[in-house]
Amino acid sequence: MHPLAERIQQQDMRALARAITLVENDSPEKLDMLSDIFSLKKNAHYIGITGSPGAGKSSLVNRLLTHLREKGLTVAVIAVDPTSPFSGGALLGDRVRMNQHFTDPGIFIRSMATRGSLGGLARATKDTLRVCDAYGFDVILVETVGVGQSELDIMKVADTTALVLTPNSGDVLQIFKAGIMEIADLFVINKADLPGVGRLKATLEEYIMIADPKGWVPPIIRTVSTENKGVDDLWSEIQRHRTYLYESHKGQKQRQRQLKLEVYDLIREEIWREVYRKIEAEDSKQEAFRDLIADPYQMAKEWFQEWKEKGGNQHG
Ligand SMILES: Nc1nc2c(ncn2[C@@H]2O[C@H](COP(=O)(O)OP(=O)(O)OP(=O)(O)O)[C@@H](O)[C@H]2O)c(=O)[nH]1
Ligand SMILES: [Mg+2]
């Protein structure tokens, strides 16, 4: 077994952090390590918290954390910021707010920083979920910032996704266009202390009616995270969804679909890594990049063909 997998099995938190760093850095030993870690897989509930910037996701995550700890559950929080992991004031703010949790061994908080990683942010986040699962956390909360394609990819691995909206912010239309509404298992109206709650609720109810979901109907939950209101409601609805996934076998089907996509994803990443490293290492090819009128289609065609003929990663 990979030494880090062994240490994670013994709940060594430094090994956990180290493994995530290897994931973020696209370390060549990544697949071997993750495969060993995967064999330790436990039964964490993956919960995605998504929504527009400033909707109150972090405040809500913070409240949930306290709530879950009071129930004796252990929690990992993964904060994903696709744009700027370090300069984002939001994340720095999160750190300050979440400070109170830092000394609790039942809590692990990590923000993802994968700019430039070949596999991309969604890939690294999925792997990180697996690592946290293997460690044995009961609940893994993934907070994403923004409502774009990257968030969509990340949220697809969550068992339960909560979409956080705020009254009178006009974010519903944008979220709808981005296809985020469809992945929401729960709608959370946060900042329910502000005016416009009734209208947003009506909009959501209308959406649900038109979407006409079979089986699970997304509940609408009102929260005021600044006042710690609605958090227990939110948690009981999240649990109700988990029970639904289990009893309807939907969870199993969801994970099966995910597995297929994931295998393709990993293979694509492996091929890409090989081709990329090879081209980056070849002076003549780097020289060719400087030719401003070179035909990119021709180059891609020839170089990929060349890579295949040399037996892929045989380095021949
Ligand atoms: N009035 C009111 N303000 C809230 C509520 N929840 C959060 N806020 C405020 O909204 C602001 C943004 O909260 P965050 O929790 O950082 O929101 P976020 O969605 O994590 O923000 P990003 O990570 O930047 O996308 C903060 O100033 C909070 O104090 C609420 O229920 N009511
Ligand atoms: Mg936040």
Side-chain angles (χ1 to χ4, degrees), residues 57-59 90-91 94 97 143 145:
K57 301 177 296 295
S58 300
S59 321
L91 270 175
D94 290 353
R97 276 195 296 277
E143 179 193 340
V145 174

Side-chain angles (χ1 to χ4, degrees), residues 122-138:
R123 177 73 259 145
T125 304
K126 287 177 206 179
D127 296 338
T128 300
L129 274 163
R130 259 53 176 280
V131 177
C132 291
D133 192 350
Y135 183 91
F137 289 103
D138 298 313

Side-chain angles (χ1 to χ4, degrees), residues 241-252:
H241 183 248
R242 192 184 204 195
T243 306
Y244 166 79
L245 287 178
Y246 182 74
E247 286 175 353
S248 65
H249 305 287
K250 283 259 166 63
Q252 208 181 335

Side-chain angles (χ1 to χ4, degrees), residues 11-311:
Q11 299 212 309
D12 175 343
M13 213 173 252
R14 282 174 58 199
L16 177 68
R18 177 95 191 96
I20 296 171
T21 303
L22 287 191
V23 163
E24 286 181 330
N25 294 344
D26 269 323
S27 158
E29 60 191 293
K30 192 176 83 171
L31 279 193
D32 287 332
M33 177 189 77
L34 286 171
S35 163
D36 287 343
I37 284 175
F38 190 78
S39 70
L40 307 172
K41 198 170 154 33
K42 305 219 167 53
N43 195 27
H45 188 182
Y46 299 176
I47 300 166
I49 311 279
T50 192
S52 302
K57 301 177 296 295
S58 300
S59 321
L60 215 48
V61 164
N62 203 13
R63 294 295 191 183
L64 257 181
L65 255 178
T66 308
H67 189 71
L68 297 178
R69 288 304 289 143
E70 278 166 12
K71 290 182 176 299
L73 297 169
T74 59
V75 190
V77 178
I78 305 169
V80 187
D81 185 347
T83 45
S84 165
F86 294 115
S87 67
L91 270 175
L92 281 178
D94 290 353
R95 288 224 178 88
V96 174
R97 276 195 296 277
M98 288 186 175
N99 241 348
Q100 50 174 302
H101 298 302
F102 268 174
T103 49
D104 181 345
I107 287 178
F108 176 76
I109 300 172
R110 175 80 176 218
S111 56
M112 298 300 291
T114 57
R115 259 186 310 182
S117 129
L118 291 181
L121 198 52
R123 177 73 259 145
T125 304
K126 287 177 206 179
D127 296 338
T128 300
L129 274 163
R130 259 53 176 280
V131 177
C132 291
D133 192 350
Y135 183 91
F137 289 103
D138 298 313
V139 175
I140 306 174
L141 298 170
V142 184
E143 179 193 340
T144 57
V145 174
V147 284
Q149 187 58 48
S150 177
E151 287 77 11
L152 208 56
D153 285 349
I154 291 164
M155 285 307 150
K156 280 181 187 157
V157 291
D159 301 310
T160 302
T161 298
L163 174 60
V164 183
L165 301 158
T166 52
N168 276 334
S169 58
D171 48 4
V172 176
L173 189 65
Q174 198 202 341
I175 286 169
F176 179 78
K177 281 190 196 155
I180 304 273
M181 298 288 272
E182 292 151 50
I183 59 158
D185 302 304
L186 296 90
F187 293 113
V188 180
I189 302 181
N190 188 43
K191 306 197 188 183
D193 53 322
L194 302 180
V197 174
R199 230 184 62 184
L200 176 55
K201 188 160 179 280
T203 305
L204 291 174
E205 279 165 351
E206 196 182 348
Y207 167 80
I208 294 168
M209 206 181 76
I210 292 166
D212 192 20
K214 304 281 177 285
W216 177 259
V217 179
I220 302 167
I221 303 132
R222 274 172 290 188
T223 59
V224 183
S225 51
T226 41
E227 294 164 28
N228 203 17
K229 282 189 187 151
V231 178
D232 40 357
D233 263 4
L234 173 60
W235 179 241
S236 56
E237 289 299 319
I238 289 174
Q239 279 186 301
R240 195 166 67 81
H241 183 248
R242 192 184 204 195
T243 306
Y244 166 79
L245 287 178
Y246 182 74
E247 286 175 353
S248 65
H249 305 287
K250 283 259 166 63
Q252 208 181 335
K253 281 182 201 138
Q254 197 167 308
R255 286 195 178 190
Q256 269 167 9
R257 260 199 312 275
Q258 200 57 45
L259 177 72
K260 180 173 172 181
L261 290 176
E262 192 151 6
V263 172
Y264 285 144
D265 226 32
L266 288 166
I267 292 174
R268 185 181 52 206
E269 193 193 326
E270 284 304 294
I271 293 172
W272 164 235
R273 188 200 316 279
E274 289 296 337
V275 176
Y276 178 81
R277 290 210 172 123
K278 200 144 189 9
I279 292 174
E280 282 294 294
E282 252 180 80
D283 289 344
S284 66
K285 290 196 167 56
Q286 293 307 304
E287 185 60 40
F289 281 139
R290 286 188 275 274
D291 179 357
L292 290 180
I293 56 161
D295 173 356
Y297 303 101
Q298 188 61 26
M299 281 158 82
K301 203 175 93 176
E302 272 176 24
W303 294 358
F304 187 58
Q305 188 59 33
E306 183 185 313
W307 177 80
K308 279 198 294 186
E309 277 164 11
K310 285 184 176 166

